[in-house]
Amino acid sequence: MRRRNSVDNPTPSVGRPALAGLVLFFTAAWQARGNGLGDRNLADASLEELMNIEVRSVGRKSQKLTSVASAVYLITREDLRRSGAASVPEALRMVPGLQVARIDASKWAISARGFNRRFANKMLVLVDGRTIYNNMYSGVYWDQNDVPLENIERIEVIRGPGATMWGANAVNGVINIITRSSSDTQGAMVSTGAGTEDRGSAFVQYGGAVNDRLHYRVFGKANNWNHLSSPGGVGSSGDDWRQRRGGGRMDWLVSQRDNLTIHGDGYTGSASQSSFANFPRQTSGPTLREQVAFDGSYLLTRWERSHSEDSTTALQVYANQENRREPLGDARLQTLDLDLEHRYHRSARHDVVFGGGFRRLKDRIRSVTRVFDPESRTDHLASGFLQDDVCVLPERLILTVGTKLLHNSYSGFEVQPSVRVLYAASPEEQFWSAVSRAVRTPSRRDQDLRIRFDLPPQATPLPVVGQFGGDPDFGSEKVIAYEAGYRNLFHRRVAVDLASFFNRYSSLESVGAGQLFLEPGPVPHMVLPIRVGNKNHGHTYGVDLTSTWSLNSRWRVYGNYSWLRVNISNTGNETPFLSQGGISSSPVAILFSEVTGSGRDPQHTVQVRTSIDVTPGFGVDAAVYRVSKLQGVNIPGYARADVHVNWRLRGGLMLSAGFRNMLDPSHREMLSEGSISGSEMRRGPYVKLTWTSRSAQDEEQSAPDRRPAGHE
Amino acid sequence: MTRILWVAAVMGLANPAPSHVVASLEYQVKAAMLYNFTKFVEWPVESPGAADRAVTFCILGPNPFGSALEELLEGKLVMGRPTRVHHAAELRELSRCHILFLAGSEERRTPEIVRMLRSASVLTVGDDERFLKLGTVMAFSVREGKVRFTVNTRAAEAIALRISSKLLKLAITVESGRPGAEM
């Protein structure tokens, strides 16, 4: 599961266009800008600067069209800086075809191609090859994974299955966050900001070098996030949160052939949230303020050896532990993961990559009501994969075939093959198509959850308790995805990328209510079991249009549109008892909608962004988003507009400021999840000041125009 | 390598390119480096092609730079002299070059070229690290996605080229021409 860190970035340290091809495709029209030299010409760059420009992917794999014969989008460091986003989830809004909806201040629902919800279980998310997809709940705790934006080299987003290379749960997409090598973050950096969203934040980092082969950095970060608005837009939603994080990284070029990277972070934080007091009987009415606390740490080591230009082996090991205290119970998760991969250029026609991995997950959930049964579990996951890129017609046609075989404790063996083909009609114009199979493997929640709740008074002689639970027989959800895409770069000014898909799902999660039974005890009562199953199926289809228009070297306009249809049948939901009218259905219906999670995907999403360099040191960015209503959960459509300016001052200071959500005082983006009452987005300003030391500026290549050094 | 070139080509950055086509970023950077090298190298007074006033940049083999090198050198003086780009077709023209870039395809001929230029102070620069063991003075390599270069100081001394320590500091230096010394 998981797969390589980045579409391929054998040296995680070195951020390289894993999707190099694509980036270049989109940046060809303004290459000089993409090289970090701003508007300056390469001719004026010094040797040191030239040596810092990334010209090629490290990994052969990264050059491969596996990464290109799919719908990919890349967020660069420049994009991050120019977006004014305060966190990774917020930055992801710019990705076409990715639905980003904030539930409350610390919770987001992020998914591509449908099935969006807080625990978006069909989206795999990785940070430097380490999965942050939580296998207890099948989703990502974004609050716990607040990667400092300052250290992100790029974020690659693949829409569509990435399971062959990346592992299970990459059913609808993969988000791959790649952090910068410590050799690229030398010097000191301090930044601080505040605004409506962010009550106050601070980031401090120092990067140094032991010698020219061994670089390191250490950082500390603290954020104090403000609450959003309560539903209806009046007052606070009581969902403020805070976290502190510290970490470091070391990149060591041990020899010409060996590269060693070690990094780790530790964090602690807490979040407030508002919950419906009478959930699941009611999803309205009075709310309670609850506290969530989390902490955790990880350590990752990656060793790479190049045997020759054509062959590389990488070994990666990481350990992760996290604790989370939720109202429902306290969860502790420990992960140990080992991955080995080897890639080689077998001949002019074949590039092969294969590998294997092993993961051990150990958890323990403590709660008064024993919401998980068993409370502690150790699971294993073993996987192997093989992929071959075949050059069928040189410079024209590339065929990629591969498969992943994995075994996990929940659903046994899973096979996830894919076939991709890319045809280049000309250097500027490409067509691609793919067919793949991917699975969403069961999580702890799907098999072991057990929540009891009182049902409203019934016509039955005894009180009835609902028991919502997982099923030990719950299996994987499956998809067969058909994709096709087209890209063209017109006159090196307008880049257009069209990606379409048709996904056929089977064995989707369903809910079934069983037969009432009597539970004797001090207070005898009836129990209505409600269990998840795999009886739903359906299909989704849609198109994403991505375009970038470079008006001149200082002005770019981005226009994206996504159209998405989700047709999931709920016929698999079995509600015999309900249909007989025996039990008031409201809480059960609520749970049903939770489980199937359908109807939370907008049919239309439009975004227009523009990025202007008014002067080399002063840039203005603006973005407008329009998201259509979420039909199934009654969230009206909304529009959002943000502006951001950044201004390079003297002495290594950078000032940025902006205004978010300018169009309305507040709006809702997603229906509350579970008992969470949810919040509305607020409008408001923010400001941020960043100082970088001289050496860090050099790394940033943002120093004032330095003339190349002459003869000594 | 083939694959890389072709992917570059597919990506619209074709590299064995007609001159109107933009060179790949890699070759734009390499072109800019070639120009930069000239600032750190001293040629002996009498050669090469002392009669030639212009500092000559030669390219042997399929030109991967497109027009990047010409554009880059436009209006630039090297050692106070104008510059010229020469796409060499014949080996005997090479002794008139100040700096000679050998494209990847020229690997086979390189030992012969190096031998031929033994008495001419031509700064030979190979496209990739394979060239080093063939005796060129410098060679590019791409490491961690970035362009690096190696200097064979012994080869430079042999033809009386003085290479500034500043350049050597940035280089992955190779003392001798020992094959594969660094790799």
Side-chain angles (χ1 to χ4, degrees):
Chain A
M1 157 148 202
R2 214 279 332 306
R3 176 64 279 106
R4 94 220 31 296
N5 86 93
S6 106
V7 176
D8 266 320
N9 184 16
T11 323
S13 43
V14 200
R16 160 178 1 244
L19 302 171
L22 196 84
V23 201
L24 293 182
F25 178 83
F26 276 105
T27 53
W30 43 86
Q31 261 179 19
R33 292 183 41 129
N35 61 26
L37 297 177
D39 284 335
R40 296 169 44 216
N41 199 312
L42 282 177
D44 299 326
S46 70
L47 263 179
E48 290 92 330
E49 286 172 320
L50 292 168
M51 288 170 71
N52 254 322
I53 297 173
E54 283 156 13
V55 296
R56 205 199 263 177
S57 300
V58 174
R60 186 167 289 294
K61 190 85 213 109
S62 50
Q63 294 287 341
K64 286 196 185 168
L65 301 168
T66 34
S67 38
V68 177
S70 51
V72 287
Y73 189 84
L74 192 133
I75 301 177
T76 63
R77 204 146 53 81
E78 177 76 358
D79 292 335
L80 284 175
R81 195 169 63 80
R82 301 289 299 246
S83 72
S87 60
V88 171
E90 289 296 311
L92 292 171
R93 287 183 193 274
M94 74 174 80
V95 180
L98 191 69
Q99 305 302 335
V100 176
R102 200 161 180 175
I103 297 163
D104 75 10
S106 62
K107 302 175 186 69
W108 284 263
I110 300 178
S111 185
R113 300 187 173 176
F115 300 92
N116 201 15
R117 52 170 151 166
R118 180 179 177 199
F119 296 107
N121 60 24
K122 295 175 184 63
M123 236 12 235
L124 181 62
V125 184
L126 304 159
V127 180
D128 291 322
R130 175 177 58 91
T131 180
I132 59 169
Y133 179 101
N134 182 305
N135 214 58
M136 272 195 273
Y137 284 90
S138 289
V140 174
Y141 283 116
W142 288 100
D143 51 3
Q144 278 177 220
N145 290 285
D146 188 17
V147 185
L149 293 175
E150 288 83 352
N151 286 338
I152 294 177
E153 178 66 35
R154 66 181 186 280
I155 303 175
E156 301 162 350
V157 180
I158 299 169
R159 287 159 282 142
T164 303
M165 291 303 285
W166 306 83
N169 306 321
V171 172
N172 283 356
V174 184
I175 296 172
N176 204 1
I177 301 164
I178 292 127
T179 63
R180 307 186 69 197
S181 163
S182 45
S183 62
D184 292 332
T185 53
Q186 294 288 292
M189 185 178 203
V190 178
S191 76
T192 180
T196 319
E197 184 182 358
D198 182 2
R199 274 187 198 146
S201 65
F203 173 78
V204 180
Q205 173 158 287
Y206 178 75
V210 173
N211 55 45
D212 61 352
R213 289 168 165 268
L214 201 164
H215 296 87
Y216 64 89
R217 70 163 172 255
V218 287
F219 77 90
K221 176 183 196 293
N223 290 79
N224 191 356
W225 302 95
N226 213 346
H227 60 80
L228 303 181
S229 284
S230 61
V234 278
S236 158
S237 52
D239 53 357
D240 49 304
W241 64 291
R242 55 224 62 85
Q243 67 124 10
R244 292 188 303 274
R245 176 176 283 264
R249 170 162 174 158
M250 181 205 82
D251 292 277
W252 183 18
L253 198 60
V254 182
S255 75
Q256 291 299 340
R257 309 191 314 159
D258 298 282
N259 206 322
L260 181 71
T261 300
I262 300 176
H263 49 106
D265 277 12
Y267 58 88
T268 173
S270 64
S272 306
Q273 63 188 28
S274 291
S275 277
F276 293 116
N278 296 325
F279 184 84
R281 257 187 271 174
Q282 273 185 310
T283 48
S284 60
T287 57
L288 299 170
R289 196 149 184 249
E290 298 174 335
Q291 293 297 323
V292 171
F294 52 84
D295 63 73
S297 57
Y298 81 88
L299 186 69
L300 180 145
T301 303
R302 187 177 171 91
W303 175 48
E304 284 168 12
R305 163 164 283 205
S306 339
H307 307 287
S308 73
E309 171 104 333
D310 292 332
S311 144
T312 316
T313 306
L315 174 69
Q316 177 177 291
V317 183
Y318 69 82
N320 179 73
Q321 65 90 19
E322 58 192 69
N323 299 299
R324 195 167 176 103
R325 285 172 292 286
E326 291 263 358
L328 216 50
D330 296 353
R332 176 178 179 75
L333 176 64
Q334 291 168 303
T335 311
L336 182 69
D337 182 286
L338 186 146
D339 250 290
L340 183 70
E341 85 186 41
H342 182 75
R343 56 191 70 230
Y344 69 109
H345 185 51
R346 200 167 71 95
S347 68
R349 280 182 172 255
H350 295 270
D351 268 355
V352 178
V353 52
F354 62 88
F358 178 79
R359 183 179 301 164
R360 194 185 79 137
L361 297 143
K362 190 176 172 201
D363 64 40
R364 194 198 63 209
I365 297 129
R366 289 259 166 84
S367 57
V368 181
T369 55
R370 264 181 91 87
V371 290
F372 277 82
D373 182 25
E375 288 201 308
S376 181
R377 188 165 162 170
T378 302
D379 295 305
H380 297 100
L381 185 149
S383 65
F385 76 100
L386 170 69
Q387 180 162 300
D388 187 7
D389 281 2
V390 189
C391 177
V392 182
L393 289 175
E395 309 194 13
R396 285 269 181 234
L397 193 62
I398 284 204
L399 176 70
T400 303
V401 289
T403 191
K404 176 143 200 153
L405 178 67
L406 71 83
H407 182 273
N408 72 86
S409 312
Y410 293 91
S411 64
F413 283 102
E414 302 285 0
V415 185
Q416 303 183 86
S418 75
V419 179
R420 295 183 179 271
V421 62
L422 183 131
Y423 172 73
S426 77
E428 283 85 23
E429 189 177 23
Q430 304 164 13
F431 298 86
W432 63 268
S433 186
V435 181
S436 30
R437 179 183 193 271
V439 302
R440 196 277 286 186
T441 54
S443 65
R444 192 84 148 85
R445 165 166 99 160
D446 299 315
Q447 293 199 347
D448 301 334
L449 185 70
R450 249 182 29 169
I451 294 179
R452 286 198 162 195
F453 52 90
D454 296 334
L455 286 168
Q458 305 293 330
T460 49
L462 289 170
V464 181
V465 170
Q467 177 177 294
F468 177 70
D471 186 337
D473 293 329
F474 185 82
S476 290
E477 299 183 287
K478 304 174 177 78
V479 70
I480 304 281
Y482 305 87
E483 298 175 89
Y486 171 75
R487 296 186 189 104
N488 205 341
L489 179 59
F490 299 97
H491 303 107
R492 302 196 162 269
R493 287 203 166 271
V494 181
V496 173
D497 181 318
L498 199 66
S500 63
F501 69 96
F502 180 86
N503 287 354
R504 189 177 283 287
Y505 297 89
S506 58
S507 305
L508 283 177
E509 194 170 359
S510 60
V511 193
Q515 289 300 321
L516 275 176
F517 63 88
L518 177 75
E519 199 170 71
V523 187
H525 55 272
M526 307 292 284
V527 176
L528 175 68
I530 301 163
R531 287 199 152 177
V532 298
N534 290 98
K535 293 188 176 137
N536 280 334
H537 59 89
H539 61 269
T540 59
Y541 52 93
V543 177
D544 303 319
L545 171 69
T546 307
S547 66
T548 308
W549 186 20
S550 169
L551 284 89
N552 56 47
S553 65
R554 296 169 156 214
W555 188 5
R556 264 186 265 177
V557 177
Y558 307 83
N560 305 323
Y561 169 70
S562 292
W563 179 68
L564 170 67
R565 294 309 303 266
V566 179
N567 290 303
I568 302 302
S569 84
N570 286 329
T571 53
N573 294 342
E574 293 163 337
T575 56
F577 200 88
L578 302 182
S579 53
Q580 290 159 23
I583 282 192
S584 141
S585 62
S586 97
V588 183
I590 289 163
L591 286 169
F592 279 16
S593 91
E594 283 299 318
V595 168
T596 51
S598 57
R600 291 168 190 223
D601 305 295
Q603 188 174 339
H604 307 278
T605 313
V606 182
Q607 57 168 286
V608 177
R609 292 184 291 129
T610 175
S611 188
I612 305 168
D613 291 325
V614 179
T615 70
F618 183 76
V620 179
D621 290 73
V624 179
Y625 302 82
R626 167 77 205 174
V627 178
S628 69
K629 66 177 178 239
L630 307 186
Q631 192 88 47
V633 290
N634 242 336
I635 300 278
Y638 64 89
R640 172 190 169 111
D642 303 334
V643 286
H644 177 79
V645 296
N646 60 82
W647 190 14
R648 201 181 299 285
L649 308 170
R650 327 195 83 199
L653 279 176
M654 163 88 89
L655 177 69
S656 61
F659 208 95
R660 300 189 183 102
N661 294 306
M662 295 192 302
L663 300 180
D664 52 21
S666 75
H667 64 259
R668 192 83 182 248
E669 292 187 346
M670 179 52 84
L671 180 75
S672 56
E673 184 87 2
S675 62
I676 312 294
S677 69
S679 309
E680 298 202 351
M681 299 296 292
R682 292 163 77 187
R683 78 168 146 207
Y686 61 93
V687 61
K688 185 175 176 185
L689 193 62
T690 306
W691 173 79
T692 45
S693 68
R694 181 71 201 175
S695 52
Q697 291 168 50
D698 290 351
E699 284 298 334
E700 291 288 321
Q701 297 177 344
S702 58
D705 200 345
R706 285 181 300 156
R707 304 310 304 174
H711 281 280
E712 283 189 344
Chain B
M1 190 65 202
T2 323
R3 171 59 62 89
I4 286 163
L5 292 182
W6 114 227
V7 172
V10 168
M11 297 324 351
L13 301 161
N15 123 67
S19 59
H20 63 276
V21 172
V22 178
S24 72
L25 183 58
E26 175 179 341
Y27 284 95
Q28 292 186 25
V29 168
K30 283 179 174 175
M33 282 187 165
L34 285 178
Y35 161 65
N36 267 280
F37 292 158
T38 60
K39 300 174 190 161
F40 301 100
V41 174
E42 264 180 62
W43 279 265
V45 187
E46 65 277 20
S47 70
D52 247 326
R53 230 183 81 72
V55 172
T56 309
F57 288 73
C58 299
I59 300 165
L60 187 67
N63 173 20
F65 300 114
S67 54
L69 192 56
E70 279 93 339
E71 285 167 15
L72 187 104
L73 292 172
E74 202 180 303
K76 293 236 159 47
L77 297 181
V78 171
M79 298 175 283
R81 296 153 69 180
T83 60
R84 190 172 68 147
V85 178
H86 182 64
H87 300 274
E90 295 189 38
L91 296 190
R92 59 186 166 77
E93 303 169 326
L94 300 180
S95 59
R96 286 175 26 217
C97 308
H98 287 80
I99 184 162
L100 167 64
F101 174 82
L102 297 150
S105 59
E106 302 309 297
E107 186 192 2
R108 235 157 30 96
R109 294 204 274 176
T110 301
E112 182 194 346
I113 293 165
V114 168
R115 241 189 339 272
M116 215 184 68
L117 295 176
R118 245 181 330 205
S119 55
S121 301
V122 177
L123 177 63
T124 44
V125 185
D127 192 11
D128 56 58
E129 54 260 273
R130 292 174 307 168
F131 284 89
L132 268 186
K133 54 188 172 208
L134 305 175
T136 61
V137 177
M138 295 183 72
F140 286 119
S141 55
V142 177
R143 291 196 184 169
E144 301 179 348
K146 296 171 180 175
V147 180
R148 294 283 180 273
F149 51 87
T150 310
V151 180
N152 181 338
T153 48
R154 190 163 295 180
E157 281 159 22
I159 54 172
L161 283 179
R162 281 192 52 190
I163 295 180
S164 122
S165 61
K166 166 127 182 154
L167 188 66
L168 293 178
K169 232 176 76 187
L170 296 174
I172 307 160
T173 317
V174 174
E175 275 305 320
S176 70
R178 247 187 319 132
E182 278 286 310
M183 296 311 294

